[in-house]
Amino acid sequence: MRRTTGGTGVEDLLRRHAPQVLGALVRRYGHFDAAEDAVQEALLAAARQWPEQGVPDNPRGWLIRVASRRLMDQLRADEARRRREEDAALLTPRDAFTAPPPGESRAPSDDDTLTLLFLCCHPALPPAGQVALTLRAVGGLTTAEIARAHLVPEATMAQRISRAKAKVKGAPFRQPGPEDRDARLAVVLQVLYLIFNEGYTATSGEALHRADLAREAIRLTRSVRRLLPRDGAVTGLLALMLLTEARSAARTGPHGELIPLDEQDRALWDRRAIAEGTALVEEALGQGPAGAYQLQAAIAALHDEAESADATDWPQILALYDVLVRRAPEPMAELGRVVAYAMVHGPKAAVEELVSLEGRLRGHYRLDAVRAHLLEKAGDLEGALDAYRLAAKGTLSRPEARYLQMRAARLLP
C-alpha cells in the first residue's frame, strides 16, 4: 500500500533516508563512488515517481532495492569490474532485491549515517572536499545544488566531488577506533560548522544568507545528535546553530542590506528556535567540560535572551569569552572578545586589545571592521573612515561591502 505526500514531504523523506541507503550499499558491496552514483539515481527515480504514485510503505527498502539494481547494472557495464561484481554477488543476500514487508527493514542502523560522515570527512581530504562530499553523500544534494550554493560552475564542483571520492576509494566503511574517534568526530563537527557558517554569512556573492546551506547543516547536526545524544560538543554545536539562525530574518533589510545585531528588530527573531537552543545549551553544559561549541552557544543564548541591545549582559558575555579564548584560542573568538571588552571597558581600551591580534589577522577585513567600529565609538572619525574603507575592500561579500561603505560614507564631512 502506498501513501501520498506533497513534494516537500517527499524531498524531506529522501534526504532523511539517503545516507542510510548509501551506507547499506557501501557496507554490502563496497565501491563508494559507484554506490553513491547509484543512490543518486534511485533518489531521482523516487523524486519523479513518488509524488504521482505515492510513497511506498517501506521507502528505505524501495530505495535500497532500486539503488542495488542500478549499482549492479553499473558493475556489469564495466568489464574491468567483473571480478568485483562476482565478489559482490556472493555477498548479496538471496532476498536483496525484494523490498521488506511494511514496518521491517534490512538496512543497517542509523549508525551508518555517522559512519558515512566519518568517511566523507576523512583526514586525507581537504576541507573543501570534505564539505562537498558531505553535502552530496550525506545531505543528498545534487552536484548542481552544491555548486549553486558555493557559487562555482557545476563542472568545477563535479571535479571536486570526483577527486574526493577517488581519495576515499578503498577506505574501510567503519567508524574509527577509540584511539582516534574523538579527533575524527571533531573534524565532522568542524565540517558541519563550516557548512553552517557559509550558509549564515556567505563569504562571497550578492546574498548575505544562503538558507539552504544553513538548514542543511542544522539537519545533519540533528542527525548526529540523535546518534550521540550525550555528547556535549554535538549538543553545543546544534544549540549554537539554532540560536544563531534564529536571528536570520532580522539580519537584512528589504533590499538585502546588512543590519547589525544591535539594530535588529528582535520581534523578527525565531522564538521557538531560541527556546530550543537555550534548552540545549543548558543540557550541553551539563555534558562534561565546556568546549568551544558549548561556550559559543552560551554566548549566543545571552544575546538572544536579551530584550534589547542595551539589556544585553555584556559582563557575562565577556566572562564567557575569557574562558573560550583560554580553552580554545582562535583569532575570530578573540576578535569577538574584543567587541565584548569594548562594551564593558569602553572602545579606547578595546582598541589597545586589538594589538595582540595584528600578527594573526593582519589584512583580514573583520579585524579592520572591528577597528573601524571601535575608533568611531572612541571619536577618531578619520581613523574609522580609513578602517571602514579598508574593510570594505577586503570582503568578497557584496552585502558586507555595501554596509561598510555606508558606514564610511556617514563619516565624511
Side-chain angles (χ1 to χ4, degrees), residues 23-171:
L25 262 68
V26 175
R27 185 182 295 279
R28 181 179 296 166
Y29 303 110
H31 312 302
F32 176 85
D33 51 349
E36 201 272 335
D37 290 339
V39 171
Q40 289 294 323
E41 290 186 30
L43 294 173
L44 289 173
R48 288 193 297 267
Q49 295 180 30
W50 291 2
E52 296 181 0
Q53 302 175 13
V55 177
D57 288 322
N58 190 332
R60 185 165 61 180
W62 189 99
L63 289 167
I64 291 174
R65 181 187 61 185
V66 173
S68 295
R69 287 175 173 171
R70 300 291 173 89
L71 176 59
M72 298 307 292
D73 287 344
Q74 289 178 41
L75 295 178
R76 290 190 184 97
D78 189 343
E79 186 68 25
R81 294 180 180 175
R82 187 167 299 279
R83 183 179 296 275
R84 284 179 290 177
E85 175 202 1
E86 294 170 354
D87 292 340
L90 291 175
L91 296 174
T92 303
R94 183 175 299 176
D95 60 349
F97 301 125
T98 303
E104 297 182 14
S105 173
R106 286 183 302 275
S109 71
D110 285 349
D111 282 350
D112 273 352
T113 300
L114 186 58
T115 305
L116 195 57
L117 272 168
F118 280 122
L119 183 62
C120 292
C121 300
H122 196 282
L125 298 176
Q130 293 171 337
V131 168
L133 195 57
T134 297
L135 289 173
R136 165 85 178 193
V138 188
L141 274 66
T142 66
T143 303
E145 288 173 327
I146 302 170
R148 284 197 299 270
H150 287 83
L151 302 180
V152 299
E154 184 176 349
T156 300
M157 185 56 66
Q159 291 177 351
R160 186 179 299 175
I161 293 171
S162 295
R163 287 194 297 266
K165 288 195 288 188
K167 282 196 173 184
V168 300
K169 185 178 181 179

Side-chain angles (χ1 to χ4, degrees), residues 24-336:
L25 262 68
V26 175
R27 185 182 295 279
R28 181 179 296 166
Y29 303 110
H31 312 302
F32 176 85
D33 51 349
E36 201 272 335
D37 290 339
V39 171
Q40 289 294 323
E41 290 186 30
L43 294 173
L44 289 173
R48 288 193 297 267
Q49 295 180 30
W50 291 2
E52 296 181 0
Q53 302 175 13
V55 177
D57 288 322
N58 190 332
R60 185 165 61 180
W62 189 99
L63 289 167
I64 291 174
R65 181 187 61 185
V66 173
S68 295
R69 287 175 173 171
R70 300 291 173 89
L71 176 59
M72 298 307 292
D73 287 344
Q74 289 178 41
L75 295 178
R76 290 190 184 97
D78 189 343
E79 186 68 25
R81 294 180 180 175
R82 187 167 299 279
R83 183 179 296 275
R84 284 179 290 177
E85 175 202 1
E86 294 170 354
D87 292 340
L90 291 175
L91 296 174
T92 303
R94 183 175 299 176
D95 60 349
F97 301 125
T98 303
E104 297 182 14
S105 173
R106 286 183 302 275
S109 71
D110 285 349
D111 282 350
D112 273 352
T113 300
L114 186 58
T115 305
L116 195 57
L117 272 168
F118 280 122
L119 183 62
C120 292
C121 300
H122 196 282
L125 298 176
Q130 293 171 337
V131 168
L133 195 57
T134 297
L135 289 173
R136 165 85 178 193
V138 188
L141 274 66
T142 66
T143 303
E145 288 173 327
I146 302 170
R148 284 197 299 270
H150 287 83
L151 302 180
V152 299
E154 184 176 349
T156 300
M157 185 56 66
Q159 291 177 351
R160 186 179 299 175
I161 293 171
S162 295
R163 287 194 297 266
K165 288 195 288 188
K167 282 196 173 184
V168 300
K169 185 178 181 179
F173 188 74
R174 62 171 182 264
Q175 294 193 19
E179 67 281 357
D180 62 349
R181 189 175 185 277
D182 287 348
R184 292 285 301 277
L185 178 60
V187 174
V188 169
L189 298 183
Q190 183 180 33
V191 167
L192 295 177
Y193 194 34
L194 284 172
I195 294 171
F196 175 79
N197 280 336
E198 182 60 29
Y200 188 71
T201 303
T203 54
S204 61
E206 290 295 328
L208 180 70
H209 185 234
R210 295 177 193 162
D212 53 344
L213 280 181
R215 285 196 299 263
E216 187 60 24
I218 291 173
R219 187 185 72 83
L220 292 175
T221 306
R222 284 192 189 278
S223 297
V224 176
R225 185 171 181 270
R226 280 195 293 270
L227 302 171
L228 301 171
R230 290 179 292 277
D231 189 289
V234 176
T235 304
L237 178 57
L238 179 57
L240 175 58
M241 289 180 178
L242 289 171
L243 290 165
T244 305
E245 181 66 9
R247 310 178 203 133
S248 61
R251 292 180 68 226
T252 54
H255 304 293
E257 65 273 19
L258 186 152
I259 301 176
L261 180 63
D262 60 347
E263 298 177 15
Q264 290 176 14
D265 180 359
R266 299 184 179 219
L268 297 176
W269 289 2
D270 185 341
R271 291 296 160 185
R272 182 177 297 180
I274 291 172
E276 181 185 0
T278 301
L280 287 172
V281 169
E282 295 177 0
E283 187 176 337
L285 292 175
Q287 294 176 325
Y293 297 127
Q294 296 97 310
L295 291 168
Q296 289 179 79
I299 292 169
L302 287 171
H303 280 297
D304 288 9
E305 290 178 322
E307 294 182 0
S308 65
D310 292 337
T312 303
D313 189 349
W314 285 108
Q316 183 63 22
I317 289 176
L318 178 58
L320 287 169
Y321 266 120
D322 285 338
V323 177
L324 175 60
V325 298
R326 281 200 307 270
R327 295 187 181 179
E330 194 273 326
M332 288 302 163
E334 294 181 50
L335 197 58

